[in-house]
Amino acid sequence: MSQPSTIPQITPLPSRQVFIVICVQICESMNINVLFPFLAFMVEDFGYTGHKIGYYAGILAASFCAAQLTSSYLWGWFSDTHGRKPALFFGTFGAGCGMLLFGLAPTFEVAVLGRCVSGLLSGNLGVLKSFLSEITDGSNRGKGFSYLNVAWSVGSILGPLLGGFLCYPVEKYPRVFNYLSFARPLFSKRPFLLPCLLCVCGNVFTSACIALLMAETRQQTGEQKSRGVYSQVNVEEDEEDGDDTEAEGERSIQLTALRTTASVSTASVSLSSSSTSSSSEAWPPRVISGSSKSVEKSIHTENSTNFYDDTVILCVLLYGLLAFGDITGNETLPLFSKLDNEQGGLSLNSSEIGFALAFGGFAGLAFSLFALPLMIGGGKSKLLVFRRYTLLNVFLIILFPLLGYVLSHLLQQADHTDTDTDTDTDTDTDTGGLSDRTNHHLVIGLFILIHICRTMASILCFTVVIIFVNHSVIDAHLGKVNGLGQMAAATARSVGPAFGGVLWSQSLKHHFIFTNFVLVSVIMLVCSCLSSRLPVSIESKKEEREERVAKEVKAEAVI
């Protein structure tokens, strides 16, 4: 018989459900990130060159999120009404269909249509957060949400690698297509199909896993609604895995409404336990007794009226602003990387851009696995973490154009030196060639280093703000609030690339490439300032806060 422990126990995560979360998030990340390495080159292939690249690249990058904006809340409502499982299945499969259309696009308009189809049919990001919030509890929620970043980082690695190295496959790998001569005409005519096709395969595989392995966690009415979803999922997995251990005891909580003269709504808790060896503080969440249905209904009705409060609106606004800054920066980096040295860019090709962006994904993966749970877990203040790392992002994003400026200045000095010295021509040519290659590799290394730091800071900020969104409402509204958050993020991710593309084109016309980066810095600064208006109570889930208040009221009543 195990001894009662005063140390809070961490509930193990349901492995199969976490596997589903990881697969869906990887697909979402790949679908979004795969086009960035070849975005500018694709727009050029469609016939738009010069300063027009910024305009049309922005439209193409924004089309996915613009379409997702119109459907995110509907997918959240659908998941609350019909379940998380069908929403994730149709969203994943639909996004794959849109990606296939995008890869086969013969014109710019069809490419935009393909991205719009993916966005309309995919509401996965919001639904996935609702699902993850339902399969975790207060002891493991930080770790559970860190897996979203792990999976996103994997997709951020695979997406740019596929996009950078597999676009123009016939030109890059002629020997391979000598053996696959039947595929040469297709991939010559559609040079961006291959990376998109691999993304489609990932979506189909994930859709199959959802259909076969995913457990439905949407709360039902009556008895099923009052049951702890997390407990159900774990029990089902234990039974399927052949775990013969018996539960130590069942608990029930009977909630009765209490009103204080300070107009604070709480509940009185009477706890009955069939096991004397288990703690009343243990997780999974306890089962509400069937005799308290009327009380539960009144509490649910009261909470339903408080859905759109100031905290919800502020959390959603922070999520949207953070997404706006992040997507604007992500779209600007490939355009900046491709820009000629003489204009202040880095003169990287598609493979080098894909490699550099994938390196950030590798760093993000390692960071999410090992450092992130420690930085936001263990009772650490998530509000403080958010403020610190949004301020760090203000500084990091400005380092990119400074790097381009320094490189351009060094090249100008080298040109002046070459014109002033005419002796030892052969030796100078060899040394100059070596210096150019060394400088180029050094620039790539510095670009990767800054990108890694920015990626880690962004991962922290996104993880914290997503947790805040889920903490702002009760479980009955999780689908809707995450759909609302996804609408805000989709709005930002649709306006951001389009606005950023226009701003980039204007910056090139006026020979000042700092504009986009300054915009992102200002947005990060605004996020840091707005977070100071969030209440400290947002650190924990709303229903957990209400339960703590109920216990305090009961203790005071007993005294």
Side-chain angles (χ1 to χ4, degrees), residues 436-493:
D436 288 342
R437 289 195 299 271
T438 303
N439 287 338
H440 189 68
H441 293 151
L442 178 61
V443 166
I444 294 176
L446 290 174
F447 177 84
I448 290 173
L449 179 61
I450 300 170
H451 181 55
I452 286 173
C453 295
R454 177 176 173 264
T455 298
M456 292 190 292
S458 297
I459 285 173
L460 267 171
C461 295
F462 269 109
T463 303
V464 171
V465 80
I466 288 169
I467 291 175
F468 287 167
V469 170
N470 281 272
H471 283 180
S472 64
V473 296
I474 61 173
D475 285 349
H477 297 313
L478 278 177
K480 288 188 284 292
V481 77
N482 278 295
L484 191 64
Q486 196 54 39
M487 281 183 66
T491 303
R493 288 170 177 149

Side-chain angles (χ1 to χ4, degrees), residues 174-385:
R175 293 184 179 180
V176 174
F177 284 90
N178 286 337
Y179 294 101
L180 302 175
S181 56
F182 64 92
R184 178 187 291 270
L186 175 62
F187 291 107
S188 295
K189 192 175 182 180
R190 302 287 180 260
F192 308 104
L193 173 61
L194 186 56
C196 297
L197 198 58
L198 292 178
C199 290
V200 172
C201 293
N203 281 51
V204 171
F205 170 77
T206 302
S207 299
C209 290
I210 292 172
L212 296 174
L213 301 177
M214 181 177 172
E216 180 55 69
T217 59
R218 180 180 66 92
Q219 295 184 2
Q220 307 294 326
T221 57
E223 288 284 332
Q224 291 177 328
K225 182 175 181 179
S226 66
R227 229 174 295 154
V229 172
Y230 182 83
S231 177
Q232 289 178 329
V233 171
N234 270 318
V235 169
E236 288 174 5
E237 290 205 353
D238 288 343
E239 289 175 353
E240 291 174 2
D241 292 339
D243 189 357
D244 294 330
T245 58
E246 296 291 336
E248 291 183 3
E250 296 181 355
R251 301 174 181 85
S252 64
I253 295 178
Q254 183 176 2
L255 300 177
T256 56
L258 290 178
R259 304 284 183 185
T260 65
T261 57
S263 70
V264 178
S265 299
T266 57
S268 175
V269 181
S270 62
L271 179 67
S272 62
S273 174
S274 60
S275 169
T276 59
S277 64
S278 53
S279 170
S280 64
E281 295 294 324
W283 285 82
R286 278 79 62 188
V287 180
I288 299 174
S289 129
S291 62
S292 62
K293 289 181 184 177
S294 60
V295 175
E296 179 192 357
K297 182 177 179 181
S298 66
I299 293 174
H300 174 71
T301 302
E302 181 180 342
N303 285 325
S304 297
T305 63
N306 297 326
F307 175 48
Y308 293 106
D309 60 16
D310 292 341
T311 302
V312 172
I313 293 171
L314 188 54
C315 289
V316 170
L317 177 62
L318 280 173
Y319 187 24
L321 285 174
L322 199 63
F324 183 88
D326 186 67
I327 195 66
T328 303
N330 288 346
E331 186 227 0
T332 302
L333 286 182
L335 298 173
F336 164 73
S337 303
K338 182 182 180 295
L339 192 67
D340 292 336
N341 296 137
E342 292 78 9
Q343 296 177 278
L346 304 182
S347 292
L348 304 184
N349 59 41
S350 62
S351 297
E352 290 169 336
I353 294 172
F355 177 77
L357 295 180
F359 232 100
F362 277 113
L365 173 61
F367 176 77
S368 299
L369 280 172
F370 303 111
L372 180 63
L374 300 176
M375 297 182 73
I376 63 174
K380 295 181 177 63
S381 172
K382 298 178 183 65
L383 276 171
L384 186 60
V385 168

